[in-house]
Amino acid sequence: MKASVKCALAIVAAVASTQVISMANGTSAPPPPSMGSTPARPATHEERANEVYNSGIEHRDRGNKHEKDAVNAKKPEDRTKSEAKARGEYEKALKDFEKATSFSSAHFAAYNGMGYSYRKLGDYQKALEMYDKALQLAPGFSDAVEYRGEAYLGLNRIDDAKQAYLELMGLNRKNADMLMTAMRSWVAARRADPAGVDAAALDAFESWIKERAGLAQQTASMSLASSHRGSW
């Protein structure tokens, strides 16, 4: 009997750990394992939150696919259709993420998902509110820091985007590289359409990006050389 209890506790602990890690990476949280002949029990609020969160991730991913299709579309009408489909999926994702937080107010990944959806729908200010909420619940959550940096760019808040990049360099290099790519794309877009950004400010930001990219490359090379020396 004691062995059975220990086994059950181990399964519950493993599932909880896997769900937290999955959500922190922006992926779907796995369902709990089947307990064989164990009678069905009502789902907990956390389980229901994860269920709708997973649905939101699926809609988010479909929205991303349609967005890519729109970029690659050769015909204007195909681009318009794909953009409409993407928007529809992001709206569905937003509803699911909102529902997840109604079941679990501490679901930081769902708030991050809401921020992502709002950003894709063009509401950058609301996106920032959701990213801030996610970071209040999970300080140092690098996905939210990176996405928030992109939202700052959407609002032409250059200094805040810079700070987000510097923060990410100490948190997660992969996310820092993602934001660097987004900053370069933003500069290219503002070259074509300034959208109120001063030309001198844009030049200065582009120089900053090049400087930071060079420093990032140097630190990456130094880290690689150090790891090689350590293996000798």
Side-chain angles (χ1 to χ4, degrees):
M1 179 63 72
K2 291 183 178 180
S4 298
V5 172
K6 289 181 178 179
C7 181
L9 290 174
I11 290 174
V12 171
V15 171
S17 177
T18 302
Q19 288 179 336
V20 171
I21 293 173
S22 297
M23 291 188 296
N25 290 323
T27 57
S28 299
S34 173
M35 299 301 288
S37 59
T38 302
R41 60 170 176 75
T44 65
H45 285 300
E46 288 72 19
E47 288 170 343
R48 295 177 72 182
N50 285 339
E51 182 180 356
V52 290
Y53 170 80
N54 290 344
S55 176
I57 290 295
E58 291 175 359
H59 286 302
R60 180 205 67 181
D61 291 345
R62 283 197 285 269
N64 288 342
K65 180 182 180 302
H66 290 312
E67 190 174 52
K68 290 180 180 178
D69 290 341
V71 172
N72 296 326
K74 296 182 179 179
K75 297 180 180 179
E77 57 269 27
D78 291 337
R79 182 181 303 108
T80 299
K81 289 180 181 178
S82 292
E83 289 174 344
K85 289 180 179 179
R87 185 174 185 82
E89 291 296 337
Y90 291 136
E91 289 173 344
K92 292 176 182 177
L94 178 59
K95 290 181 180 179
D96 281 338
F97 293 137
E98 287 178 333
K99 191 173 183 180
T101 61
S102 72
F103 287 126
S104 175
S105 60
H107 204 302
F108 66 89
Y111 284 108
N112 183 54
M114 289 171 64
Y116 187 96
S117 300
Y118 275 123
R119 180 165 58 85
K120 288 296 185 178
L121 292 170
D123 192 340
Y124 298 110
Q125 194 59 53
K126 194 67 176 179
L128 288 177
E129 293 177 17
M130 296 302 105
Y131 292 137
D132 286 344
K133 180 65 175 179
L135 288 165
Q136 287 173 8
L137 294 168
F141 181 24
S142 61
D143 282 4
V145 176
E146 195 277 320
Y147 292 148
R148 186 172 62 177
E150 293 194 39
Y152 286 144
L153 291 174
L155 293 170
N156 296 334
R157 291 170 57 173
I158 296 175
D159 289 339
D160 289 325
K162 288 180 181 180
Q163 186 58 44
Y165 175 80
L166 296 176
E167 183 177 353
L168 284 170
M169 284 298 289
L171 289 173
N172 187 308
R173 179 61 182 272
K174 181 179 179 180
N175 284 122
D177 290 343
M178 289 174 61
L179 183 54
M180 174 63 74
T181 298
M183 290 191 294
R184 285 171 170 157
S185 296
W186 180 86
V187 168
R190 289 295 174 268
R191 290 295 185 196
D193 178 11
V197 178
D198 180 72
L202 193 59
D203 289 340
F205 186 40
E206 187 169 28
S207 296
W208 183 89
I209 290 174
K210 291 179 180 178
E211 177 185 353
R212 285 294 160 181
L215 290 173
Q217 183 60 46
Q218 289 178 20
T219 57
S221 299
M222 291 171 62
S223 178
L224 181 61
S226 178
S227 64
H228 283 172
R229 286 195 298 271
S231 64
W232 290 348

